[in-house]
Amino acid sequence: MSFQKGLRLLTQMTGGSGTQNILRHNSSNGSARSLKMITKHYDEITIPVPWGHIAGKWYGPKHVRPILGMHGWQDNAGTFDTLAPLLPPHLSFLSIDCPGHGLSSWLPPGIIYHSIDYVLLIRRIMEEYNWDKVSIMGHSMSSINGFVFSALFPDKVDMFIGLDVLKPPIRSPRHIVTGLSERLENALKVERRNRIGTEPPAYEWDQLVERLHLGTDKSVSMEACKFLLQRNAKPSTHEPHKYYFSRDSRLKNSLFYTLSIDVPLEMASRITCPHLFIKAKQAPYYERKEYYDATLAALRKNSQFEYHEVDGTHHVHLNEPEKVASIINSFINKCRPL
């Protein structure tokens, strides 16, 4: 991609509203391929929080309580750019940037990001909009946090859609202890670099796309990278025609849940809302499958739980949203019909 095209992608998101224009490939027989334009208007919004603001993209009418879309680790609200236009038109959809991601405020200096912060963030957003209930769609890290939130506050969730990661992964004691020591040490190193205020490494646009693609183990397709980079890259102030990743570098040393298998099993027993989970077949389980299967069995005791598998990578909802849209829409129309 040329510098001019890259710059246009970055500047498209600076206004207060926009129209999502997406070219999607359609194929009935796997060979002939045509293009279909899908268009959906959204408004850029900000939600006040004690340390600044949460940025997001609001699709649909403001008087309708939206489905709250939450992205994976180091991604942003752009993760739902291709799926949002395919969702039922009678509902609104609010895709947010979590703290330190996208266009949202970073946490104050000296703070380490932790998964539980994002669980509390859902309550903050509910209070800001005076919602008694929340509908959640979460991918990866946010699928985990949606699972935790639905267990901690079962009376506040009327619908939960999880994408690809079922629950907090279980780690061995050795992995937990080693990982904590490494992340805490690295967090101090990042703080020292941030105090100096140097700009992160900058890359040509095509290099930036490739780094994102490879950095996700090729889970995000080269074509789909642009949807994340619109909110995750800035032009370099020192090197013309180059860009850098603009998310908070402290995110790389985030602290995640360190739980025994008994805790997710207890959480699963407390989730009573309609719950849809979609697993990407070409994505890993991120833990020993026996832990995954045990929690899945516990979730199946909820008569309103649905489980589906689709072909695709960890970011199948972004790369090929049609594969999950029909499943999600059927679920939504049962839980929150017109």
Side-chain angles (χ1 to χ4, degrees), residues 289-305:
K289 194 169 182 295
E290 64 190 78
Y291 298 143
Y292 175 94
D293 289 340
T295 305
L296 187 60
L299 288 170
R300 290 188 189 277
K301 295 178 182 179
N302 175 5
S303 62
Q304 300 185 91
F305 176 71

Side-chain angles (χ1 to χ4, degrees), residues 102-298:
L103 308 181
S104 288
S105 299
W106 296 6
L107 292 182
I111 301 298
I112 297 178
Y113 290 87
H114 194 290
S115 294
I116 203 68
D117 296 331
Y118 307 126
V119 174
L120 183 57
L121 176 64
I122 299 173
R123 289 291 293 118
R124 294 185 190 278
I125 293 173
M126 291 179 69
E127 287 196 352
E128 176 64 25
Y129 288 111
N130 295 314
W131 296 340
D132 294 327
K133 299 279 188 178
V134 63
S135 303
I136 302 171
M137 184 188 300
H139 171 243
S140 192
M141 172 187 77
S142 291
S143 182
I144 294 172
N145 294 324
F147 174 95
V148 173
F149 185 93
S150 298
L152 298 182
F153 305 102
D155 60 326
K156 298 185 182 300
V157 185
D158 63 7
M159 181 177 68
F160 169 41
I161 301 168
L163 301 175
D164 200 50
V165 184
L166 184 66
K167 63 174 189 65
I170 304 303
R171 301 288 184 251
S172 70
R174 179 181 297 275
H175 184 280
I176 291 171
V177 173
T178 301
L180 282 173
S181 63
E182 290 176 352
R183 286 177 181 269
L184 292 176
E185 281 296 329
N186 289 336
L188 291 175
K189 293 178 183 178
V190 171
E191 281 188 8
R192 289 194 290 270
R193 287 200 300 267
N194 286 346
R195 282 198 293 269
I196 298 173
T198 56
E199 188 177 275
Y203 308 93
E204 299 286 348
W205 181 261
D206 288 343
Q207 292 177 316
L208 198 74
V209 171
E210 184 177 24
R211 289 186 71 85
L212 177 58
H213 173 63
L214 296 178
T216 62
D217 292 327
K218 302 182 181 179
S219 173
V220 180
S221 70
M222 295 285 282
E223 180 187 20
C225 283
K226 60 180 175 286
F227 298 110
L228 296 177
L229 289 175
Q230 286 177 17
R231 307 174 77 85
N232 190 29
K234 290 183 178 179
S236 172
T237 57
H238 307 301
E239 301 182 72
H241 301 184
K242 288 190 176 183
Y243 306 85
Y244 63 89
F245 290 106
S246 56
R247 62 200 170 208
D248 191 343
S249 57
R250 289 177 293 171
L251 292 170
K252 292 181 180 179
N253 297 297
S254 299
L255 299 182
F256 299 103
Y257 304 105
T258 54
L259 308 174
S260 68
I261 183 58
D262 293 336
V263 178
L265 290 177
E266 176 65 21
M267 288 180 171
S269 72
R270 293 174 182 243
I271 298 176
T272 56
C273 67
H275 179 188
L276 168 65
F277 180 71
I278 301 176
K279 181 75 181 80
K281 291 183 180 179
Q282 281 69 58
Y285 285 92
Y286 303 100
E287 63 179 336
R288 287 165 53 180
K289 194 169 182 295
E290 64 190 78
Y291 298 143
Y292 175 94
D293 289 340
T295 305
L296 187 60

